[in-house]
Amino acid sequence: MPLDGKVAMVSGAARGIGAAIAERLVAEGAHVVVLDREVAAGRATARRLGRADFREVDVSRADEVRAAVEATVAELGGVQILVNNAGIANNTTFLEVSEEEFERVVAVNLTSQFLLGQAVARHMVERGEGGAIVNISSVTAHGGVATQAAYASAKGGVESLTRVMAVALAHEGIRVNAVAPGSTATPMVADFFAQKPELRTMMLSRIPLRRLAEPDELASVVAFLASEDASYLTGQVLIVDGGRRALNYTVPVDDEAGER
Ligand code: NAI
């Protein structure tokens, strides 16, 4: 299998897209370390996957991130793949969002990727065997949403950080890419739809493939980027959004159309 013998750390893998990524990496041969702040869900996911361990981490805390990387290296002998997936969204209008909320959302979505990326990359450089890092961004980095100043800023930062890491680590044989998912059927999106049911119809009308992504459809792209099949790909952002960003503004959208 393509990822046989590799150790992969996946943040936010207790549920949602992260759990799907972890499952896919295990299916391709990797041993996965599930990093999450949710202990019960994280343990359950690791148990379900089999070739996986769980480690409780708040990815916005440098001390916890460092300890998790050190423990993984000590117990499993190394880390060859990192997927920076943990994230939280915010939904407060620009004029209302507080400094505290802004900083928390940036810390969990962006600073965490710097902390974990740096800690794992330092280990990879020391080992001298290269590696692959995949950072999870969002289509929200590519178009304004009035209620997501913090989230969009953080995800825009994720894409810039990805390019910097790719350039800084290329000579070490470490590839760094990002995946920007469109709306994906996970608990995070279910929460949004519960607050605003009309959002679902509106979103579908602007997605040419006329459905949300399934977490598996992101996981397969992440697994590709982490594998040797992507050996000449670094510093890129793959937008996986069912065609949403390809839609020109002159194309009429049908707000009444349902899911395909
Ligand atoms: P989710 O809310 O279903 O899962 C996120 C996971 O991250 C949870 O297990 C949560 O406990 C964990 N987490 C959150 N904060 C953490 C922290 N401080 N430390 C450790 N773990 C933490 O979210 P979903 O939808 O699976 O999103 C995964 C990634 O994909 C996020 O980065 C998100 O921004 C991104 N994304 C999701 C989209 C969607 O439509 N679901 C669209 C675009 C991007």
Side-chain angles (χ1 to χ4, degrees), residues 11-19 21 35-38 41-42 56-61 64 84-89 104 107-109 112-113 136-140 151 155 179-192 203 212-213 215 218 244:
S11 71
R15 68 175 200 184
I17 296 171
I21 292 168
L35 303 175
D36 211 288
R37 61 178 179 186
E38 294 291 336
E56 180 184 357
V57 180
D58 177 340
V59 290
S60 64
R61 296 197 43 153
E64 294 187 21
N84 269 316
N85 164 80
I88 51 171
R104 178 71 192 147
V108 174
N109 290 285
S112 67
Q113 299 206 8
I136 303 302
S137 177
S138 167
V139 284
T140 308
Y151 183 72
K155 292 302 192 180
V179 172
S183 301
T184 308
T186 69
M188 187 192 258
V189 169
D191 288 349
F192 272 130
M203 274 183 178
L212 301 187
L218 278 318
R244 182 163 146 196

Side-chain angles (χ1 to χ4, degrees), residues 73 119-130 172 174:
V73 171
V120 169
R122 281 178 174 162
H123 155 73
M124 289 172 170
V125 168
E126 205 176 295
R127 270 306 186 87
E129 293 170 1
E172 300 284 353
I174 301 168

Side-chain angles (χ1 to χ4, degrees), residues 11-228:
S11 71
R15 68 175 200 184
I17 296 171
I21 292 168
E23 187 170 351
R24 177 74 183 224
L25 298 182
V26 167
E28 300 205 354
H31 183 117
V32 168
V33 181
V34 170
L35 303 175
D36 211 288
R37 61 178 179 186
E38 294 291 336
V39 177
R43 282 206 182 114
T45 299
R47 215 174 302 122
R48 180 170 60 80
L49 298 182
R51 205 176 328 100
D53 301 312
F54 169 69
R55 220 167 267 291
E56 180 184 357
V57 180
D58 177 340
V59 290
S60 64
R61 296 197 43 153
D63 53 344
E64 294 187 21
V65 163
R66 233 177 277 126
V69 174
E70 279 168 18
T72 301
V73 171
E75 284 168 27
L76 298 171
V79 183
Q80 290 77 36
I81 296 167
L82 167 67
V83 184
N84 269 316
N85 164 80
I88 51 171
N90 80 311
N91 202 20
T92 311
T93 61
F94 173 69
L95 293 177
E96 298 292 323
V97 68
S98 68
E99 182 181 359
E100 190 188 22
E101 181 181 348
F102 191 93
E103 287 186 347
R104 178 71 192 147
V105 172
V106 169
V108 174
N109 290 285
L110 173 60
T111 312
S112 67
Q113 299 206 8
F114 160 68
L115 293 172
L116 202 46
Q118 188 185 56
V120 169
R122 281 178 174 162
H123 155 73
M124 289 172 170
V125 168
E126 205 176 295
R127 270 306 186 87
E129 293 170 1
I133 298 176
V134 183
N135 295 329
I136 303 302
S137 177
S138 167
V139 284
T140 308
H142 298 266
V145 178
T147 55
Q148 294 193 324
Y151 183 72
S153 302
K155 292 302 192 180
V158 162
E159 297 189 2
S160 294
L161 176 66
T162 300
R163 287 184 278 270
V164 170
M165 288 170 71
V167 170
L169 299 170
H171 66 288
E172 300 284 353
I174 301 168
R175 295 181 300 100
V176 187
N177 292 289
V179 172
S183 301
T184 308
T186 69
M188 187 192 258
V189 169
D191 288 349
F192 272 130
F193 289 161
Q195 289 165 34
K196 258 184 150 190
E198 68 280 12
L199 203 61
R200 184 182 173 86
T201 316
M202 193 264 283
M203 274 183 178
L204 289 176
S205 72
R206 287 155 179 80
I207 301 172
L209 289 183
R210 278 292 157 100
R211 62 181 178 81
L212 301 187
E214 291 300 325
D216 282 354
E217 294 177 300
L218 278 318
S220 56
V221 176
V222 171
F224 160 67
L225 290 173
S227 78
E228 280 304 298

